[in-house]
Amino acid sequence: NTSTNFMKNILIIGGGNLGQSIAKGLAQSSKNTFEQIIVSRRRVHLIEHLASQHIQVSANNTSAISQSKVIILAIKPHQVDAVLDEIAPYVTPKHIVVSVVTGLSTSHIASKIKGEIYRAMPNTAISIGESMTCISGTSEQNESTELVHNLFSALGQTMKIEEELMGAATVLGACGIAFALRFLRAATQGGIEIGFSSESSQFIAAQTLKGAAELILQNKTHPEQEIDKVTTPMGVTISGLNEMEHQGFSSSLIKGLLTSYQKIKTK
């Protein structure tokens, strides 16, 4: 039955880091409802390894569109217009098109192709089912909206936001992976200086960072409440925290976020 297959297939146009991460995350997720995951990329040899995970690969952007209900655009911003012009004759109003392209508005996509159009901003933890994905699109709650949220809920946590917040979501959620990892790297280097091997230091720092995040997610507390549990009068923790603040820890992180946000706004 072609219509059944149409509903059950997903096509990811673009097989870069994010496109591959989405495909791998779906292939591994127990919540994935798609029967066939297809990834297309011009230089198909760079994604051929995905076939071992039951992901179909293709060098042709248009061949799988007629069989796929959902199309994810995971291309570079400079490729957008060429790809939209190429796929326009094949995309119908029945298709759901989800863009994960930084800075690409739904109105620009709608000016080129038909279909129900959404924007999503996941992060690279999507490959292990731990993404924070912000989604914008039609304000009405319909089957398509539910399908898009279910798709990304199989790959981590989702949040519905207004489209004008998409740039901010990119900085906090997607760039945020790199910011968190830079903290992790610095903590690891400090751990080496006070006596651990690099492997042990990284493991302790990474699990500690994971535990800190889970405290906030599970307890729904403010970070300062959890910090208060660790800091004692004249203690070791508070002296370290205060020195980090003297050196501009919070301030530099906030400034970094704002700098990334300004860069997105001027693109």
Side-chain angles (χ1 to χ4, degrees):
N1 185 321
T2 309
S3 63
T4 307
N5 291 342
F6 176 77
M7 287 296 295
K8 295 287 185 172
N9 292 353
I10 182 168
L11 168 64
I12 300 166
I13 296 179
N17 289 336
L18 187 53
Q20 288 191 47
S21 293
I22 294 169
K24 288 176 188 172
L26 278 174
Q28 292 163 14
S29 174
S30 59
K31 298 178 187 172
N32 171 38
T33 57
F34 294 101
E35 285 178 5
Q36 185 66 63
I37 303 159
I38 309 156
V39 181
S40 65
R41 181 173 182 167
R42 289 274 181 266
R43 294 184 292 168
V44 74
H45 65 279
L46 295 173
I47 56 170
E48 279 171 350
H49 63 278
L50 295 175
S52 64
Q53 296 181 48
H54 307 294
I55 297 165
Q56 191 176 316
V57 299
S58 170
N60 188 325
N61 286 338
T62 59
S63 60
I65 289 177
S66 62
Q67 287 107 45
S68 305
K69 171 74 173 173
V70 179
I71 303 164
I72 293 184
L73 297 175
I75 49 182
K76 297 280 190 288
H78 71 268
Q79 299 171 312
V80 165
D81 284 337
V83 169
L84 289 176
D85 289 340
E86 178 194 8
I87 68 173
Y90 305 91
V91 181
T92 72
K94 290 182 179 178
H95 281 101
I96 296 170
V97 180
V98 184
S99 167
V100 294
V101 183
T102 302
L104 177 61
S105 69
T106 52
S107 58
H108 184 83
I109 301 169
S111 72
K112 297 269 190 181
I113 60 172
K114 304 179 190 76
E116 292 187 76
I117 298 160
Y118 295 83
R119 282 179 70 181
M121 184 43 63
N123 60 37
T124 50
I126 204 161
S127 64
I128 56 165
E130 287 292 349
S131 178
M132 177 64 241
T133 305
C134 292
I135 300 166
S136 68
T138 175
S139 55
E140 64 191 60
Q141 190 65 30
N142 58 22
E143 278 184 28
S144 300
T145 308
E146 197 175 327
L147 194 154
V148 172
H149 276 272
N150 287 345
L151 157 60
F152 288 102
S153 292
L155 302 167
Q157 299 293 329
T158 66
M159 181 184 286
K160 182 180 177 180
I161 64 169
E162 297 300 319
E163 185 166 3
E164 56 264 29
L165 280 171
M166 214 27 104
T170 305
V171 172
L172 196 57
C175 306
I177 286 274
F179 302 153
L181 290 173
R182 184 54 61 88
F183 164 84
L184 178 58
R185 171 147 172 74
T188 299
Q189 289 175 310
I192 296 166
E193 191 161 347
I194 58 175
F196 286 105
S197 70
S198 57
E199 292 83 4
S200 297
S201 185
Q202 181 172 298
F203 178 63
I204 294 168
Q207 178 58 34
T208 302
L209 186 60
K210 181 184 177 186
E214 284 295 332
L215 279 173
I216 303 306
L217 290 170
Q218 291 187 28
N219 294 346
K220 294 182 169 52
T221 48
H222 190 283
E224 286 302 327
Q225 283 181 265
E226 299 298 338
I227 288 171
D228 286 345
K229 294 174 187 174
V230 193
T231 49
T232 53
M234 299 176 69
V236 173
T237 308
I238 193 63
S239 61
L241 276 176
N242 285 345
E243 180 60 25
M244 289 177 197
E245 290 305 325
H246 292 319
Q247 298 294 337
F249 179 76
S250 296
S251 166
S252 63
L253 182 54
I254 293 163
K255 282 182 179 174
L257 284 161
L258 291 174
T259 301
S260 291
Y261 185 60
Q262 290 304 323
K263 180 93 177 204
I264 278 190
K265 283 175 72 177
T266 54
K267 273 192 172 183

